[in-house]
Amino acid sequence: MHRLTLASAGFFVLLSGPALAADAGADLPMTAPGFDWTGYYAGLQAGYGWGSSNISGTEGEPFAASPDLDGGFVGGHVAGLWQFNQAVIGARAELNYSAIDGSTLLEPGNAVGTEIKWLGSVNAEAGLAVDRWLIYGVGGVAFAGIETSQDAGPSFAKTRTSAGWTIGAGVDYALGSNIVVGAQYRYYDFGKEHFDVPDDFSDRDQDVKLHTLGVNFSYKF
């Protein structure tokens, strides 16, 4: 009987061990296994953009045109990320050289065009880390150097810096402790800008919206 009692007591101790360990672990902070996304990053990105420009004359003979825009971009970015359990938050800034443009005919020999010469943004970022994968959303303030032009025999081109907003999403993968690759989609709305143009042409408003899809390479410091 004495041996049976001791054996029973030992059996209950073994059963209670995992439960006690679980209770103790419940008070400890959880951390995601694998890659730690906390750090500072710098890198390059490149991709393709497409969108539209709505142009309307504001004086003289009225006109309206909507060139389709497309082309490539390449640039750089810096970012800082902080990981809490599986949640990741941070900030990101990007600047790109762009060759995104388009034109359309008002009539034969009279073409109007739009070109995005550069674009950049300052953003907040939030995502979910799954080991070496990071799925995130991003959004913030966007800027661009946008040109309006017209060629009707005589011609002109004028560029202004436009401000707007951007939102998007992306996925990153950590190849190693310092190398991250990924892909990102963005939507940009640069709003309406007014252009005063030479006297031979009509002043105009230009409203530009853009989509981009790109790949990125980052180094974690």
Side-chain angles (χ1 to χ4, degrees):
M1 177 67 71
H2 180 66
R3 291 181 179 179
L4 180 60
T5 302
L6 289 176
S8 299
F11 178 71
F12 284 117
V13 168
L14 290 174
L15 286 179
S16 63
L20 292 173
D23 290 340
D27 297 328
L28 297 176
M30 297 286 289
T31 57
F35 186 77
D36 182 5
W37 289 91
T38 297
Y40 295 98
Y41 299 77
L44 302 172
Q45 69 273 348
Y48 174 77
W50 69 98
S52 63
S53 172
N54 294 314
I55 306 170
S56 57
T58 59
E59 68 168 15
E61 184 177 349
F63 72 91
S66 299
D68 291 327
L69 308 178
D70 69 333
F73 68 90
V74 62
H77 62 268
V78 293
L81 298 178
W82 293 267
Q83 182 171 349
F84 305 92
N85 299 330
Q86 287 184 278
V88 178
I89 60 173
R92 183 185 190 100
E94 300 183 353
L95 184 62
N96 301 282
Y97 165 78
S98 166
I100 300 170
D101 61 6
S103 64
T104 189
L105 289 174
L106 293 177
E107 58 188 18
N110 186 2
V112 294
T114 299
E115 180 177 358
I116 303 175
K117 293 180 171 294
W118 61 267
L119 69 154
S121 59
V122 179
N123 312 272
E125 182 175 327
L128 177 69
V130 183
D131 196 4
R132 292 183 173 271
W133 291 95
L134 176 62
I135 303 167
Y136 64 89
V138 63
V141 181
F143 307 91
I146 302 179
E147 178 186 273
T148 189
S149 62
Q150 189 167 351
D151 186 357
S155 63
F156 84 93
K158 188 172 184 179
T159 302
R160 292 194 60 179
T161 298
S162 300
W165 57 272
T166 178
I167 192 169
V171 57
D172 283 344
Y173 180 75
L175 291 175
S177 59
N178 299 101
I179 304 299
V180 174
V181 296
Q184 185 185 101
Y185 163 80
R186 285 290 192 102
Y187 172 77
Y188 295 87
D189 187 334
F190 293 108
K192 184 182 292 184
E193 283 287 341
H194 180 74
F195 289 81
D196 294 321
V197 301
D199 292 339
D200 291 340
F201 301 91
S202 296
D203 292 348
R204 63 205 57 201
D205 291 333
Q206 183 170 261
D207 187 353
V208 175
K209 295 176 173 60
L210 181 68
H211 305 265
T212 64
L213 186 62
V215 294
N216 52 269
F217 171 90
S218 302
Y219 182 83
K220 178 186 177 186
F221 294 93

